[in-house]
Amino acid sequence: MKPEEKALEIGRKFASSLIDLATKRGVKISVDVNFRDDIFESKYQRNEVMKPFIEKADFLKMGLDEIIDYTEQSTLENAVNSLSFKGVLFVTDGANGSHVFLGKESAYIPSTKVDAIDTTGAGDAFWGTALARLDKLIETGSTLSIDNLAKITKEANKSGADAVTRLGAI
């Protein structure tokens, strides 16, 4: 095994053990799949590595292209239905807006229209905002409803849009 392969394997095992420990302690798990095919030998290997993290997440973010590619489905509806995931799912699609799914309920939230300069960091800005708002929602004991999730997604879309109006990730 090459040194970089060994390092990746150690990292995967470490991440998996942290998720297992967090789950035992009742900590919510969030995952942004952020597929990077350059670190995997194949799509199959990538999917096998990511599958346990996706299935254990309470909150999952995937880009539309990622969920379509991962599930090998041709539509978002089919992709979501075929996904082995039971938590809150956010699917982003850049300037086309975002979707949020909670069980059988879903909401589409259009994007905030801006003049994009650089899309680097848009997904991270979206996800950081969504997680911060989810944390506040849970902390205050508010209901995890599709209406509340749609409001969170709208704010997250605004953050993602704001991020693309400047050059660079920050």
Side-chain angles (χ1 to χ4, degrees):
M1 182 180 285
K2 295 177 187 175
E4 60 271 15
E5 291 172 349
K6 186 168 178 63
L8 287 172
E9 184 61 29
I10 290 168
R12 289 180 197 125
K13 286 181 180 176
F14 179 71
S16 184
S17 68
L18 285 178
I19 287 176
D20 290 343
L21 179 62
T23 301
K24 287 177 187 170
R25 293 185 176 179
V27 174
K28 299 290 184 194
I29 305 298
S30 70
V31 173
D32 175 357
V33 297
N34 214 359
F35 287 156
R36 296 292 182 255
D37 288 334
D38 58 329
I39 64 171
F40 298 102
E41 291 179 14
S42 67
K43 177 179 166 178
Y44 174 79
Q45 182 195 42
R46 178 202 67 199
N47 288 357
E48 287 303 303
V49 167
M50 294 302 297
K51 185 178 180 179
F53 298 105
I54 289 170
E55 290 178 349
K56 291 178 183 178
D58 296 291
F59 305 106
L60 176 64
K61 178 195 163 289
M62 297 181 92
L64 178 62
D65 57 333
E66 291 169 325
I67 193 169
I68 295 291
D69 185 50
Y70 179 77
T71 62
E72 298 183 336
Q73 298 295 316
S74 59
T75 67
L76 177 58
E77 181 181 353
N78 289 344
V80 170
N81 289 335
S82 72
L83 195 63
S84 229
F85 178 72
K86 304 297 180 227
V88 177
L89 171 64
F90 295 86
V91 178
T92 59
D93 190 20
N96 296 317
S98 302
H99 299 262
V100 62
F101 299 87
L102 175 66
K104 299 281 184 197
E105 296 182 289
S106 67
Y108 164 75
I109 297 82
S111 65
T112 302
K113 301 301 179 201
V114 296
D115 291 324
I117 294 172
D118 182 3
T119 60
T120 305
D124 294 328
F126 174 97
W127 197 225
T129 299
L131 291 175
R133 298 306 178 264
L134 283 164
D135 185 54
K136 188 173 185 176
L137 186 76
I138 292 167
E139 186 179 281
T140 60
S142 297
T143 305
L144 197 62
S145 68
I146 199 66
D147 290 336
N148 284 337
L149 292 169
K151 290 174 189 170
I152 287 170
T153 305
K154 184 175 182 178
E155 283 187 64
N157 277 353
K158 286 180 184 175
S159 292
D162 185 50
V164 304
T165 63
R166 293 183 280 294
L167 189 60
I170 298 180

